[in-house]
Amino acid sequence: YKKYVESRDPAIYAKYNKLLNSILRVNKPNLSFTSEEIFIGDRNLREIGISEKTSFICFHNRDSAFLDFVKSDYDWNYHNYRDSSIQNYLNAAEAIIKRGNYVVRLGSITKDKAKSASPKLIDYANNGMRTDFLDIYLSAKCKFILCSETGMSFPAEVFKRPIVYVNWTGLLWLPVYTLNGLIIFKKFYLRNEDRYMTFSEMINCEFGGPDTNDIFTNLGIELIENTPEEICDVTIEMDKRLNGTWKTTKEDEELQHRFWDLFGLDKIKSPDLRIGSEYLTRNKELLE
């Protein structure tokens, strides 16, 4: 995969694309729960406040609290470019609640609590009821998951759940294997030029290792988180798509093709992984 994202070699593309095609042909998860696990899982859902057959989504933001806790003597700050504020997700959570769903905040150790007046927003990460098993069960049974660029998406990906990715940074590392996904990105603001990087420039920007902060500093890059409105828009889009009420436009289809063409014709992806419609329309100048 590393060779795939960094290479222009058609032979490498062909090998990875063959593997990816085999994954995309299977729309059901390879793992399943036993009847006993389903009994326990459903009981756990009721205990945290979700009744049987109630629709719920999960959401999660990456912050530095977990790594700082599990290994406090190590400097993890080169991962902080992936961080985002939980507060920016709450508009989306409230909107989804109004659309008839419960909302469950995932996580283990967090910087901030998710505060809401609605009893349908469950801060499971901080309510003292979190277990490893329920982490997996929630991810497998949710209507969809809303998350940032973090490993918390992996259980939902394994169980083939729809996913909304927000605050994504690495365009070379897009989750092209996600069967049903929407994604929007942080913006890369170039201080010295007073402008945002285009998507093509972001694709060619190499970072992610221990020198990430130095790279951003030397290039004068400031990462701009997705706004509450951007997160809300793409979350509602997913809910409408799953409910069968979303209507696409000719402009959106054209913009989607322009975005994915940036990666070249030899790279394939899940046909149902898309950029959030409102986000792409409002930032179409980044396609130049």
Side-chain angles (χ1 to χ4, degrees), residues 202-259:
M202 291 167 66
I203 289 172
N204 291 309
C205 184
E206 297 183 7
F207 60 91
D211 59 347
T212 291
N213 291 333
D214 291 335
I215 290 172
F216 287 156
T217 298
N218 292 337
L219 294 175
I221 294 174
E222 177 184 354
L223 295 186
I224 308 298
E225 284 188 38
N226 291 137
T227 65
E229 293 76 19
E230 289 173 335
I231 296 174
C232 190
D233 285 340
V234 71
T235 303
I236 291 175
E237 178 180 347
M238 176 59 83
D239 198 51
K240 286 184 176 180
R241 285 183 179 276
L242 295 178
N243 293 346
T245 60
W246 177 262
K247 294 182 179 180
T248 191
T249 66
K250 183 179 179 180
E251 181 188 27
D252 181 44
E253 293 303 317
E254 291 174 349
L255 293 175
Q256 295 287 334
H257 285 300
R258 286 178 60 189
F259 176 85

Side-chain angles (χ1 to χ4, degrees), residues 141-167:
K141 297 297 183 178
C142 63
K143 184 176 184 179
F144 65 93
I145 184 171
L146 163 66
C147 63
S148 58
E149 190 175 352
T150 169
M152 197 65 236
S153 68
F154 294 165
E157 291 168 354
V158 167
F159 281 96
K160 311 284 188 179
R161 304 313 303 147
I163 304 180
V164 177
Y165 304 90
V166 299
N167 287 304

Side-chain angles (χ1 to χ4, degrees), residues 80-84 166-169 171 184-188 199 202 223-226 279:
N80 291 353
Y81 71 93
R82 297 190 288 129
D83 287 2
S84 56
V166 299
N167 287 304
W168 197 275
T169 58
L171 267 67
I184 61 175
F185 313 104
K186 285 185 178 181
K187 292 179 183 176
F188 286 40
F199 292 134
M202 291 167 66
L223 295 186
I224 308 298
E225 284 188 38
N226 291 137
Y279 177 87

